[in-house]
Amino acid sequence: MHYLTAVPNDMIVQSVDSLDWSAEVPRDYKPPAFGSCGAYNTVLTGDEFYLIMDRLAISPLDLSRATGFPQTSILFWRRSKQVPTNVALTVRHLQKLTHGVINALDHVTGCSFHNYGYRKIGDFWLPESWWRMCLARNSERTIMKDFHYSHKRSR
């Protein structure tokens, strides 16, 4: 079990240049399981959960792959009054990682993206839609970025 700690910004800046990409989630991937942590708000309604998933550009299937939570549970939690604490912790952690990546992209002059696949950030494999969302959000506030689309079928 992992315990959430603050993610240093310099770690994110160093890693954003070389986020691993894979066409598929690796077969040996084990999603992290989080314990309690006082750093995040653990109260999360179903509506907030749905909004966060939408803002992160992550579908229920992709969130299931990244976290190990059953997809049917994710669909249920989207309509519930409150999601379980471990789910709230995980989603809040993904929000913080995403915010750090978007900020770290300020220091990157160019990078590539794909139409499919997954990126590794921290202990998670997130869909390429998440990476494209990070690039778009960063480009909304900066100029002179050189993003390259890759259609290669390499791993």
Side-chain angles (χ1 to χ4, degrees), residues 27-88:
R27 292 179 195 258
D28 60 347
Y29 172 61
K30 299 284 189 251
F34 291 107
S36 62
C37 175
Y40 299 104
N41 179 5
T42 58
V43 177
L44 196 64
T45 67
D47 289 339
E48 291 169 328
F49 178 64
Y50 179 75
L51 180 63
I52 292 169
M53 285 178 50
D54 186 54
R55 296 276 298 156
L56 294 176
I58 298 177
S59 71
L61 176 61
D62 289 324
L63 186 63
S64 176
R65 287 179 179 156
T67 62
F69 300 132
Q71 183 179 2
T72 53
S73 296
I74 291 170
L75 293 169
F76 173 77
W77 295 327
R78 286 176 26 173
R79 295 182 303 274
S80 65
K81 291 187 181 194
Q82 186 172 342
V83 301
T85 301
N86 61 330
V87 176

Side-chain angles (χ1 to χ4, degrees), residues 2 5 12 22 47 56 70 81 89 94 103-104 121 126 144 154:
H2 298 272
T5 58
I12 294 173
S22 176
D47 289 339
L56 294 176
K81 291 187 181 194
L89 286 169
L94 287 173
N103 287 337
I121 178 67
L126 298 176
M144 304 302 290
S154 62

Side-chain angles (χ1 to χ4, degrees), residues 76-130:
F76 173 77
W77 295 327
R78 286 176 26 173
R79 295 182 303 274
S80 65
K81 291 187 181 194
Q82 186 172 342
V83 301
T85 301
N86 61 330
V87 176
L89 286 169
T90 302
V91 170
R92 296 285 191 205
H93 187 66
L94 287 173
Q95 272 187 303
K96 180 154 177 74
L97 285 173
T98 300
H99 182 71
V101 167
I102 292 169
N103 287 337
L105 285 168
D106 289 343
H107 308 286
V108 176
T109 56
C111 54
S112 64
F113 62 92
H114 302 265
N115 196 33
Y116 62 94
Y118 296 84
R119 296 278 172 165
K120 185 167 187 191
I121 178 67
D123 294 326
F124 297 96
W125 280 94
L126 298 176
E128 192 71 357
S129 60
W130 168 85

Side-chain angles (χ1 to χ4, degrees), residues 11-33:
M11 184 276 297
I12 294 173
V13 171
Q14 292 168 1
S15 65
V16 78
D17 290 329
S18 59
L19 289 175
D20 291 336
W21 178 85
S22 176
E24 299 288 333
V25 173
R27 292 179 195 258
D28 60 347
Y29 172 61
K30 299 284 189 251

